[in-house]
Amino acid sequence: MGKSLFEQMGGTYTQVGDYLIPNLRLPEQQGQLIGVWGQRHARYLKQYHKIIYMNLLTSGKLNDYLVDIENQAENLFLQLVKQLAESENITEELKAKDQMEWVAQMNNVYNRAREIVNSKLIFI
C-alpha cells in the first residue's frame, strides 16, 4: 500500500492500539506580543466564533491577525480619548486648577473610548 497524502507531505503517525493517530503540529507563529486588545479579541473569537479562530490558528495567521487588531484598537482608543477630551474641554488648565475633577472626567472619557473600541473592533 502506498503512502497517504499526509505522509507524502511529511506527516507521521503514532500507533495507539489498533489505530494510527496523525501527529499534527500547528504552523510556527511569529512571536510578536499581543496586548490587551488583541487578547480580549482572541478570547471573544474562541468563545463566539470558534471556526474563525481555528482557521486563523491552523493557518498560522492568528498572531499576525491579533497584532493588527491590537494596533488598530490602540490607535482608535488614543484618537477617541483625544477627541472626546477636546470636545468636552478637559484641558491642562483644568488639570492644574482641579486635579480630582480632571481625573474624574478623564476616567469617564477612557471608559467611553474603551466601550467604542470594544464595539467597533473587539467584540465583532
Side-chain angles (χ1 to χ4, degrees):
M1 188 172 183
K3 287 187 174 186
S4 69
L5 179 60
F6 179 68
E7 291 171 303
Q8 290 173 26
M9 296 179 68
T12 59
Y13 293 94
T14 299
Q15 182 89 31
V16 178
D18 293 336
Y19 301 98
L20 288 176
I21 307 295
N23 299 315
L24 302 176
R25 286 179 295 171
L26 293 173
E28 289 295 319
Q29 300 270 325
Q30 294 295 346
Q32 295 176 295
L33 295 176
I34 308 298
V36 172
W37 298 111
Q39 292 173 21
R40 188 176 295 155
H41 187 62
R43 283 191 303 273
Y44 177 78
L45 287 178
K46 261 185 187 175
Q47 187 169 0
Y48 297 105
H49 298 287
K50 288 180 174 88
I51 293 173
I52 293 171
Y53 179 83
M54 291 307 294
N55 285 342
L56 288 166
L57 179 66
T58 58
S59 68
K61 296 176 182 173
L62 181 63
N63 191 270
D64 289 342
Y65 172 77
L66 293 175
V67 167
D68 185 48
I69 290 291
E70 175 73 27
N71 292 335
Q72 287 181 53
E74 186 62 20
N75 289 336
L76 179 58
F77 177 76
L78 294 173
Q79 179 185 0
L80 287 166
V81 166
K82 183 179 180 199
Q83 288 173 350
L84 290 167
E86 286 175 0
S87 71
E88 296 173 23
N89 205 28
I90 305 171
T91 63
E92 291 298 314
E93 291 82 31
L94 174 62
K95 185 177 180 181
K97 185 175 81 174
D98 188 349
Q99 193 170 19
M100 292 301 286
E101 180 60 25
W102 181 85
V103 168
Q105 289 186 29
M106 285 304 294
N107 282 339
N108 183 284
V109 164
Y110 292 143
N111 288 334
R112 285 184 288 148
R114 193 173 300 112
E115 287 303 313
I116 292 168
V117 172
N118 283 338
S119 69
K120 288 186 179 283
L121 288 172
I122 305 304
F123 300 133
I124 57 168

